[in-house]
Structure formats: structure tokens, C-alpha cells
Amino acid sequence: MSGLSIASKLIVRDMSSAQAKPCAILAVVKEKHPKDNPTIKHVYNYRDKMRKDGFEGRDLASQFYHIALENKYAHYTQTEGDSSVITHVFMAHSESVDLFRTYHWYIGIDSTYKTNKYKMPFVEIIGMTPCNNNFKIAYAIIKDETEGSYRWVLHWLRVLIGFDLNPTVIVSDRELGLLKPILEVFPHTAHLLCIWHINKDVEDRAYKIMGDKSIAGKFKNGKWRTLIESLSIAEYEENLGKMQDSMSRYQTLISYVEETWLVHKEKFVVAWMKNFLHFGNTTTSRVESEHASLKQWLNTATGSLDTVWQKVHKQIEA
């Protein structure tokens, strides 16, 4: 009942550093040192003690800044008004900055959720090397997904790369808060929308309107796919007319794709997209794979600023 022995504490420390889950740590401690009578609470308590010992008297925000400076991160934060409440965080590993300035052609941007106890969106910004490998350019934690928040993130991304370099393409979902800021901050960079998400959305809407999943699938893989794969503007106009005529009985669906998606046709239709150097990146799959990797490292959705930073840092280093 008195707690863990020194040997057990070493196991907890080493396995915690390796991002092992508390239940796995407890299993090893029980196997190696059963006389300690360890419980999961012992593991949690010692992990919390190690974390707080590392603060060396600093509060949470100060510790967050300290570890970022100590590891030579480019980091920027924004607080709310005159208060000390942090609303935006932007972080970039020093080696990621070097990679970004060297391989700056492709940028993938997407946000994910359930990464921190503040319930704030986590934005990942991903690059690609000539060896077809991903690297995390930077990440941000923002209070919301408004134009103001995304403009703040993109401003610091522009500062990272410098004002003399322009990426050839940025790929994202149709996040309304991103559309205008990308055009403002990177006016000389093509912005493409993820074709996978577009097709999925069109198929789902077609199913709701038509009431038949097979017919909705045929529309997506037939008239719709033919339209977005048009190789020239003239071919696009011809295919659009054919789709409008053949689907005239589903005017609600035609109005939806025209008003929601085709207003952005330059961002995903091949006739326009083929003019941009995108290296085959027409979806946000690279960022989605980074989301999956991130969640494996985090293990929880209740991390604080310092614990999220530590785990993302280990992911980048790995």
C-alpha cells in the first residue's frame, strides 16, 4: 500500500517515455515486481509526479513555453484580449522548418478533434519530400475554425517559409474558414479541394434525394465522374449540359452540386487542375494518415498543453 519501489518507478518512467499506456505499464510492473502490490492508481500518481517535477516551479503555460524554447521550436501564441488565456498556438520543429523551406511545393492542411482537454481543433500542416514521404511542417491548436483563426495560422506558415517562396499547391477540405485566408496569404499558390471528400458528399446527397443507394452510386461514378474528369473547358461545358439534361427529374440534386461544388470547379475539375503542379495529390489522404498516427501517439483526448506537446514532439522525432 506504500507505493512503488525504485525499480518499479524506473519501469514507469521508461515506459511512459516510450508512450506506453498505463495499463501496459501496470502489467509489466506486476510481472517484474509483484511484491509492490501495484495498482493502476500507483502508475497514474507517479506519472503525474514526474510531470510536475519537470515544471520546476513553473505554471502550465510557462512550462509549455519552456519546453518549446528548450527544443528550439518556432512557436507563436495568441491570447484573448488583455487576458492571459491562450486561444491559438502554432508550433514547428526546427528540422521541419528546414525541410519546408527546401521542399515547399506541396502543403496539405486539415484539422482533427479529440486531441486535448480544451476541446480545441488541432490543425496539421503536412509537406512531402521527393522520396514521397510525409513530414509535419507545423501544427496549431486554435479556438475555432473561423476565417480569423485560419488566417492567423496561415500568416505564421508564410513567415516560416519566407515571402520569397511560393508553394505550388495547397490541398484541403472545403473548410469555409480556409477558402478566403488561403487566397489572401498565398495568392500565387493553387488551392485544390479533396476530391475524395467531394465524391463522398455528392454520393451521400444523391442518396438522400434519390432514396436508392445503387442509383446514387451510379450517378457519382457515371455522370458526375465524367464531368470532373473533363480534360478541357469545352469538354466540361459539354458534359455539364449532358448531366443537366439526363438528371432533369432530380433538379434538387443538380442545384446542390452546382451551388455547393461547381462554384469551386477550378479547385478540383481536371480541366483546370491539370495546370497546377500537384504531384498527384488531389486528396487530403496524406494529412488523414498523419491524423491516424497522431491519435496513436496521444492515446487520449484529455491531454493538457504540455502533455500534447511532448507526445507530438516524440511523433515528429520518430
Side-chain angles (χ1 to χ4, degrees), residues 240-257:
L240 177 59
K242 290 179 179 178
M243 184 182 75
Q244 291 170 332
D245 292 340
S246 63
M247 301 295 293
S248 58
R249 59 183 292 200
Y250 297 110
Q251 192 57 45
T252 305
L253 177 60
I254 296 300
S255 297
Y256 172 76
V257 297

Side-chain angles (χ1 to χ4, degrees), residues 96-243:
S96 295
V97 176
D98 291 339
L99 280 170
F100 182 37
R101 289 174 177 166
T102 305
Y103 308 121
H104 56 269
W105 303 289
Y106 160 84
I107 296 175
I109 301 177
D110 193 23
S111 58
T112 187
Y113 310 93
K114 298 182 180 180
T115 62
N116 56 82
K117 70 179 183 180
Y118 317 105
K119 298 181 180 179
M120 296 166 74
F122 187 101
V123 181
E124 290 199 88
I125 307 170
I126 305 302
M128 179 185 71
T129 71
C131 298
N132 204 33
N133 292 325
N134 297 342
F135 66 94
K136 196 190 302 291
I137 298 171
Y139 67 90
I141 300 174
I142 55 179
K143 70 173 184 177
D144 52 38
E145 294 181 281
T146 60
E147 286 186 2
S149 292
Y150 278 121
R151 187 177 292 108
W152 184 87
V153 171
L154 292 171
H155 166 74
W156 291 117
L157 185 65
R158 167 52 84 185
V159 170
L160 278 192
I161 194 176
F163 292 86
D164 57 331
L165 295 175
N166 288 300
T168 58
V169 67
I170 294 175
V171 182
S172 74
D173 293 343
R174 191 184 70 98
E175 179 59 58
L176 297 180
L178 260 176
L179 298 179
K180 189 175 178 181
I182 287 178
L183 181 61
E184 293 173 352
V185 182
F186 292 95
H188 304 295
T189 297
H191 179 203
L192 303 185
L193 298 179
C194 175
I195 194 63
W196 186 88
H197 283 97
I198 293 174
N199 288 339
K200 184 76 168 56
D201 181 81
V202 168
E203 184 176 21
D204 289 345
R205 181 54 64 101
Y207 171 58
K208 289 179 182 178
I209 293 173
M210 296 173 170
D212 189 309
K213 198 164 188 176
S214 63
I215 296 177
K218 287 179 181 178
F219 170 72
K220 183 202 74 172
N221 294 316
K223 297 295 184 183
W224 175 252
R225 186 176 295 277
T226 300
L227 178 67
I228 63 177
E229 291 181 353
S230 302
L231 296 176
S232 67
I233 296 176
E235 185 179 334
Y236 168 81
E237 296 292 347
E238 181 183 349
N239 290 332
L240 177 59
K242 290 179 179 178
M243 184 182 75

